[in-house]
């Protein structure tokens, strides 16, 4: 794949402080056009792929500079996986069906210059297929075993599932579509590509293999050098359905501009009811996207789920199953 100076260097970090407050007070449209969910195929548990072999990338939190005292977890449950993948969570038929749905949903996506240039949030509420997928016991068991902790749909529904769209602008005067360098509010993020790498150039998922405090201390150098920085790595997405798990709240990541073609990714963020008190969402993670009033309602739902995880699971009809030993090998 050819790369350009622009692709390597033109990924900034998100703005903070007063800019977040301004965006929270002036939230734009959430959806650009209605979506006809009746045209979707039905979700089927058979779309979940068989358990994957050991992924080519597996890294623990220690590899990113985290000390033992900074890890999540509780007695008998160490939660120290930083990244793993790519794996195929869905069968080819399942990934193809999901790709078609996300392609049709693109007309509903909105432009946003905060984190991801063009995206659609709250996808679970729009798509019965996606709603069924993230609540399917087989799917949840698969991702739970991959990460090593029980996972269920996130109480923050608006941010729980989103689709990101990237295209070459064809106009040098336009700002390229990117995901800026950022940390997520979510601890458990699964990013699935719905485009083969041959369909586009650029659009690489890049991440900083180091502690956030080191990123922040060397922010200018890292963002200016981009992929050329020795601690910046590229996630090896290649085929439709390839999925990476990332500890989104603790690993700085970004997406470089697409210089040719089109790229679609689905980001699914899940919740661990046993470690809910360690959820790293903050009110201002969501407010710039959803507005103050909507974020307040969502925030209250999250706090209730953290205080009473069993009640949350009961309301949602989701059992918490005993978890077998994690399948991701230690490195």
């Amino acid at each position: 794949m050819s790369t350009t100076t622009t692709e390597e260097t033109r990924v900034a970090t998100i703005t903070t402080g007063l800019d977040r407050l301004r965006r929270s007070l002036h939230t734009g449209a959430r959806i650009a056009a209605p979506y006809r969910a009746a045209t979707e195929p039905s979700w089927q548990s058979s779309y979940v792929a068989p358990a994957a072999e050991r992924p080519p990338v597996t890294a623990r939190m220690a590899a990113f500079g985290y000390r033992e005292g900074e890890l999540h977890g509780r007695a008998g449950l160490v939660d120290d996986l930083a990244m793993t993948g790519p794996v195929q969570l869905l069968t080819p038929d399942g990934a193809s069906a999901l790709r078609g749905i996300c392609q049709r949903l693109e007309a509903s996506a909105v432009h946003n210059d905060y984190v991801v240039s063009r995206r659609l949030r709250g996808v679970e509420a729009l798509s019965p297929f996606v709603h069924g997928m993230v609540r399917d016991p087989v799917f949840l068991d698969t991702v739970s075993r991959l990460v090593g902790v029980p996972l269920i749909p996130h109480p923050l529904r608006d941010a729980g599932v989103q689709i990101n769209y990237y295209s070459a602008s064809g106009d040098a005067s336009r700002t390229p579509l990117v995901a800026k360098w950022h940390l997520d509010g979510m601890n458990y993020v699964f990013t699935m590509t719905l485009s083969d790498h041959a369909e586009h150039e650029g659009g690489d998922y890049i991440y900083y293999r180091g502690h956030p405090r080191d990123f922040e201390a060397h922010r200018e150098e890292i963002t200016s050098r981009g992929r050329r920085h020795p601690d910046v790595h590229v996630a090896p997405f290649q085929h439709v359905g390839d999925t990476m798990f990332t500890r989104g709240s603790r690993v700085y990541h970004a997406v470089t501009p697409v210089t040719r073609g089109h790229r679609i990714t689905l980001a699914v963020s899940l919740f661990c009811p046993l470690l809910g008190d360690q959820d790293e969402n903050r009110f201002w993670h969501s407010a710039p996207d959803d507005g103050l009033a909507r974020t307040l309602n969502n925030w209250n739902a999250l706090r209730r789920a953290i205080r009473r995880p069993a009640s949350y699971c009961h309301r949602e009809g989701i059992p918490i199953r005993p978890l077998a030993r994690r399948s991701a090998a230690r490195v």
Side-chain angles (χ1 to χ4, degrees):
M1 183 193 73
S2 63
T3 59
T4 66
T5 301
T6 298
E7 181 187 347
E8 291 179 342
T9 63
R10 290 295 299 259
V11 182
T13 56
I14 63 170
T15 53
T16 57
L18 290 177
D19 184 62
R20 285 189 175 181
L21 176 60
R22 176 182 63 81
R23 293 171 186 273
S24 301
L25 296 173
H26 301 285
T27 305
R30 295 175 51 80
I31 186 169
Y35 173 65
R36 294 180 57 197
T39 63
E40 288 191 2
S42 298
W43 165 259
Q44 304 172 36
S45 294
S46 59
Y47 283 148
V48 180
E53 298 178 358
R54 182 185 178 207
V57 175
T58 298
R60 301 286 162 187
M61 299 296 289
F64 286 75
Y66 283 90
R67 298 183 294 270
E68 185 174 352
E70 297 177 288
L71 302 180
H72 292 147
R74 54 188 280 185
L77 182 60
V78 178
D79 183 24
D80 69 341
L81 184 65
M83 174 174 285
T84 192
V87 297
Q88 287 279 336
L89 294 181
L90 303 182
T91 64
D93 286 345
S96 177
L98 181 59
R99 169 182 162 109
I101 290 167
C102 292
Q103 288 173 332
R104 292 192 292 276
L105 278 164
E106 184 167 6
S108 301
V110 297
H111 287 272
N112 183 309
D113 64 350
Y114 180 49
V115 181
V116 181
S117 300
R118 190 157 185 261
R119 62 178 169 173
L120 182 64
R121 287 163 61 83
V123 176
E124 185 188 347
L126 294 173
S127 167
F129 185 98
V130 172
H131 179 88
M133 181 183 76
V134 300
R135 293 170 170 279
D136 187 282
V138 179
F139 178 84
L140 291 174
D141 185 66
T142 297
V143 294
S144 297
R145 291 176 183 275
L146 182 68
V147 176
V149 299
L151 297 174
I152 61 176
H154 204 286
L156 290 181
R157 295 294 164 73
D158 289 323
V161 184
Q162 73 176 41
I163 310 171
N164 304 319
Y165 299 96
Y166 308 90
S167 297
S169 68
D171 182 352
S173 66
R174 291 181 55 191
T175 303
L177 302 183
V178 299
K180 298 177 183 178
W181 281 106
H182 66 286
L183 296 173
D184 299 323
M186 309 302 202
N187 291 0
Y188 308 98
V189 183
F190 297 83
T191 302
M192 179 185 300
T193 182
L194 295 172
S195 306
D196 278 331
H197 202 281
E199 296 175 343
H200 62 86
E201 290 184 359
D204 289 318
Y205 182 113
I206 56 177
Y207 61 94
Y208 177 69
R209 189 159 171 143
H211 199 285
R213 63 171 171 263
D214 297 324
F215 181 95
E216 290 152 9
H218 304 285
R219 179 184 301 258
E220 180 62 32
E221 177 190 0
I222 295 167
T223 57
S224 63
R225 294 185 66 186
R227 288 166 32 126
R228 293 172 294 154
H229 191 282
D231 294 322
V232 172
H233 298 260
V234 179
F237 291 106
Q238 291 296 323
H239 305 293
V240 170
D242 279 358
T243 304
M244 291 287 298
F245 163 75
T246 306
R247 185 71 53 136
S249 60
R250 294 190 153 198
V251 174
Y252 262 106
H253 55 284
V255 174
T256 64
V258 167
T259 56
R260 178 189 63 81
H262 189 56
R263 179 178 186 261
I264 303 175
T265 60
L266 181 81
V268 177
S269 299
L270 299 173
F271 179 75
C272 178
L274 301 183
L275 304 176
D277 59 341
Q278 298 175 31
D279 188 280
E280 295 191 88
N281 274 282
R282 299 294 179 266
F283 185 85
W284 296 105
H285 281 137
S286 297
D289 283 305
D290 300 321
L292 294 178
R294 192 177 186 98
T295 300
L296 183 60
N297 290 333
N298 290 338
W299 184 251
N300 287 334
L302 173 60
R303 304 322 295 176
R304 288 196 301 271
I306 290 173
R307 288 194 301 269
R308 299 181 180 88
S311 296
Y312 170 68
C313 292
H314 178 73
R315 285 196 308 273
E316 300 297 326
I318 302 168
I320 304 178
R321 290 175 170 78
L323 184 70
R325 295 178 65 184
R326 75 177 73 203
S327 59
R330 288 183 175 272
V331 292

